[in-house]
Amino acid sequence: ADAAKRLEALAQSVKKGPQFKARILAQAGQAWLLANDVIRAEAVATTALHLMPKAPELLIDRARARAEQGDYAGAKADLDIALMGAPGHPDALAFRAAASRFLDETAAARADTDAALVRDPSHPEALLERGILKRLTGDKDGARADWIKLLEVAPGTGAADAARANLEKMDVKK
């Protein structure tokens, strides 16, 4: 949070132009996400987008903040725009897949995870999401394979933590 505040103050004082300010604000937004202040992260990303409209990375950041608040439709709308500017962007595809799943658009979610994994076969969030989608359709072996691959390629990530939790939940006998 302290870093985010400092970055925001720096962005206000900088005289280098809108793109430079937007990049500093993007860093501030990331810091707010890490500090779990998703409302502030969304506000900072929105401000940055006023300086650099339709910038894919800024749209992805704001979509993440919106999704953390449960605004999956807003997140998906931002990711749709991001993908127009950066077709095939694996992060945008993986995050849009998650938003689509929460909106009960499972076919679209699966198409996005598959497209992300064509671009980057080891993309952690795409592997996590595809595993979730497989588990939801009863393909436990496929889900397990995706999550184990995720644990192998990105063991120290938040996606890996979620994969571990999903594996434990799936394996618990009731």
Side-chain angles (χ1 to χ4, degrees):
D2 288 338
K5 290 175 191 173
R6 290 180 187 169
L7 286 164
E8 281 191 71
L10 178 62
Q12 293 302 319
S13 67
V14 142
K15 307 281 189 236
K16 287 228 178 196
Q19 289 187 350
F20 191 71
K21 281 186 184 221
R23 287 188 182 104
I24 294 170
L25 288 170
Q27 293 299 311
Q30 288 287 327
W32 284 121
L33 280 172
L34 291 172
N36 293 317
D37 190 338
V38 294
I39 293 170
R40 189 72 190 149
E42 179 184 6
V44 170
T46 299
T47 300
L49 280 163
H50 288 300
L51 299 170
M52 287 179 62
K54 298 184 182 179
E57 294 301 327
L58 296 174
L59 287 159
I60 292 168
D61 289 346
R62 186 169 72 177
R64 288 180 57 207
R66 287 180 167 179
E68 288 290 325
Q69 296 173 68
D71 180 8
Y72 302 110
K76 187 172 181 285
D78 277 349
L79 295 164
D80 289 342
I81 297 167
L83 285 161
M84 284 188 258
H89 192 295
D91 288 342
L93 288 165
F95 295 141
R96 187 172 72 176
S100 293
R101 176 173 52 85
F102 280 103
L103 294 169
D104 291 323
E105 300 170 1
T106 54
R110 183 58 190 258
D112 280 347
T113 59
D114 292 345
L117 291 166
V118 165
R119 285 287 186 120
D120 179 358
S122 298
H123 192 278
E125 287 79 12
L127 286 167
L128 173 65
E129 191 59 34
R130 189 173 70 180
I132 292 169
L133 291 166
K134 286 179 178 179
R135 181 181 52 83
L136 290 173
T137 60
D139 181 5
K140 290 183 178 185
D141 291 337
R144 182 181 317 284
D146 281 341
W147 294 332
I148 288 173
K149 181 175 180 178
L150 166 53
L151 293 172
E152 291 169 355
V153 299
T157 63
D161 293 341
R164 279 185 206 89
N166 275 294
L167 283 165
E168 289 172 13
K169 189 162 109 176
M170 190 170 68
D171 288 342
V172 170
K173 303 282 187 217
K174 291 186 179 183

